[in-house]
Amino acid sequence: MSSEKRKILAIETSCDETAAAVVENGRHVLSNIISSQIELHRLYGGVVPEIASRNHIERINQVIEQALKEAKVTLDDIDAVGVTYGPGLVGALLVGVAEAKAISYARNLPLVGVHHIEGHVSANYIEHPELEPPFLCLIVSGGHTNLVIVEDYGVFRILGTTRDDAAGEAFDKVARAIGLRYPGGPEIDKLSREGNPQAISFPRARVEGAPYDFSFSGVKSAVLNYINQQNMQGKDIPKADLAASFQQSVIAVLVEHTIKAAEEFQIHHVAIAGGVAANRGLRNAMQAACEEKNLRLYYPSPIYCTDNAAMIGAAAYYEYQKGVRHGWNLNAVPNLRLGEHV
Ligand code: KG4
Ligand code: ZN
């Protein structure tokens, strides 16, 4: 095989999607298989860790087999195995890590452990061949909220982070409070299109004295208080207006911080990543703000925003090119920090 075409088999099992992909040279997706467990977890209103691990172990081989089949390759064509080893649910991560180790051991293939959030950022490389570091990236997922400068592939300067809930977590909690199903982000996104974002005034998720940090617990509490008040007064809850107003209050701060950072650090290329980057309101608001300031905005298609293995294949390729190889002692690291390499 020509050395220019590196094919990575990527595996992602950090939460509730069992996923495998084959990605060539970090940008060209040959297959992207996602077996979602959402229906199972929906019964409980959120992810149940033990159920997640048990389902990963049941499905992982079939998902990998399908990824190879759709890519029209066999393990003989694969140059390295990439796998998410943190952060995430430990039992869930272990399934992917053990599988990746078994394949790389049996086939004598290099093993590349990937940081899940580096994967989310790298999802932007898949459909934007022209995008290269440095750029600014807002990462908004169910477990993380970070504003970072991507200085180089896999090299991050963290400007801000959340002080409490992650952005996606806030969406999920507010959705649950108004009786929407899990995961709540896409439900709020849909419902808010029928509502008035100015109907109810909720606090903004800013943190005094920390211009790039976020805090979503105040907005969330304000929503819960509003619901209680309405209930106590025997009034209906205007769900669409509430969804639109909540979403607007979150988006306003996400956009404001991102644009402020782009201006302060003189970065003209801006990306968004993570499950919440699929939010239509956020994409539109960020696009409008970037156009106004002459900034170029990048975001992945929704399928690459939420958890998938193609993004892990993209990140793994750049780690592989840097010479990163993990040994047989690779373990799951549930609290792995961004930029930390274990
Ligand atoms: O990145 P992701 O799939 O998993 C983590 O790494 O956490 O993100 C999942 C989160 C959930 O909180 C989900 O509600 C949220 O992303 N999400 C959305 C949308 N789609 C997914 N939030 C707002 N609008 C959406 N369209
Ligand atoms: Zn994720």
Side-chain angles (χ1 to χ4, degrees):
M1 172 183 303
S2 115
S3 62
E4 288 86 47
K5 294 218 165 161
R6 295 283 182 207
K7 288 187 182 65
I8 294 194
L9 170 65
I11 300 172
E12 155 63 43
T13 64
S14 68
C15 191
D16 59 349
E17 326 281 356
T18 315
V22 178
V23 181
E24 197 173 76
N25 286 2
R27 305 238 177 193
H28 184 207
V29 177
L30 301 183
S31 65
N32 183 36
I33 306 299
I34 305 166
S35 171
S36 177
Q37 306 175 4
I38 282 178
E39 291 301 333
L40 291 170
H41 298 285
R42 213 164 245 163
L43 292 169
Y44 306 94
V47 178
V48 183
E50 190 182 325
I51 294 180
S53 316
R54 287 174 177 276
N55 277 277
H56 286 315
I57 202 86
E58 252 175 52
R59 298 175 184 195
I60 188 75
N61 278 7
Q62 296 89 306
V63 167
I64 289 173
E65 200 174 52
Q66 206 181 333
L68 293 169
K69 197 172 153 197
E70 279 199 13
K72 298 193 174 61
V73 298
T74 69
L75 284 175
D76 291 339
D77 304 307
I78 297 296
D79 296 287
V81 182
V83 63
T84 306
Y85 72 107
L89 303 168
V90 65
L93 289 164
L94 283 171
V95 175
V97 169
E99 180 83 10
K101 285 167 101 169
I103 295 172
S104 66
Y105 180 71
R107 291 287 174 149
N108 198 21
L109 289 170
L111 176 66
V112 182
V114 173
H115 193 291
H116 181 74
I117 298 302
E118 186 178 336
H120 275 302
V121 172
S122 306
N124 279 289
Y125 300 137
I126 295 169
E127 295 160 302
H128 305 295
E130 72 283 18
L131 177 64
E132 286 182 34
F135 58 93
L136 185 69
C137 189
L138 173 73
I139 305 155
V140 271
S141 76
H144 298 268
T145 305
N146 287 115
L147 184 59
V148 305
I149 297 172
V150 183
E151 295 180 325
D152 199 348
Y153 292 103
V155 180
F156 305 98
R157 175 170 167 199
I158 300 174
L159 302 179
T161 188
T162 180
R163 296 289 179 99
D164 37 61
D165 292 350
E169 199 179 348
F171 270 90
D172 293 341
K173 287 178 178 168
V174 165
R176 193 175 181 163
I178 55 172
L180 301 176
R181 63 183 192 166
Y182 174 84
E187 302 295 316
I188 298 242
D189 192 358
K190 247 184 275 161
L191 189 59
S192 64
R193 288 173 211 164
E194 297 155 28
N196 172 6
Q198 262 81 51
I200 312 162
S201 168
F202 291 127
R204 298 296 194 235
R206 294 187 194 97
V207 179
E208 203 64 43
Y212 300 122
D213 277 353
F214 306 93
S215 166
F216 298 103
S217 66
V219 195
K220 182 192 66 191
S221 303
V223 172
L224 298 180
N225 288 341
Y226 173 85
I227 293 170
N228 277 341
Q229 273 172 13
Q230 293 289 108
N231 284 340
M232 272 162 40
Q233 293 167 9
K235 291 186 190 157
D236 284 344
I237 292 155
K239 288 187 184 178
D241 284 349
L242 185 147
S245 303
F246 159 75
Q247 181 170 294
Q248 172 60 27
S249 77
V250 171
I251 289 174
V253 176
L254 295 176
V255 172
E256 181 187 292
H257 284 22
T258 306
I259 300 297
K260 185 177 163 61
E263 291 192 310
E264 180 178 341
F265 296 95
Q266 292 285 302
I267 303 174
H268 302 289
H269 291 225
V270 176
I272 54 177
V276 182
N279 185 274
R280 185 150 9 136
L282 174 61
R283 291 157 93 99
N284 291 343
M286 196 68 88
Q287 185 71 58
C290 284
E291 272 168 25
E292 199 188 311
K293 301 283 179 185
N294 258 325
L295 306 170
R296 171 86 201 266
L297 178 67
Y298 302 85
Y299 47 73
S301 292
I303 193 68
Y304 296 128
C305 285
T306 46
D307 289 349
N308 67 88
M311 68 184 197
I312 302 304
Y317 172 74
Y318 290 102
E319 293 297 325
Y320 175 89
Q321 291 293 87
K322 280 192 274 182
V324 171
R325 304 287 184 269
H326 281 93
W328 302 135
N329 60 345
L330 180 67
N331 206 339
V333 185
N335 298 317
L336 188 64
R337 287 197 308 271
L338 189 59
E340 184 185 16
H341 294 273
V342 178

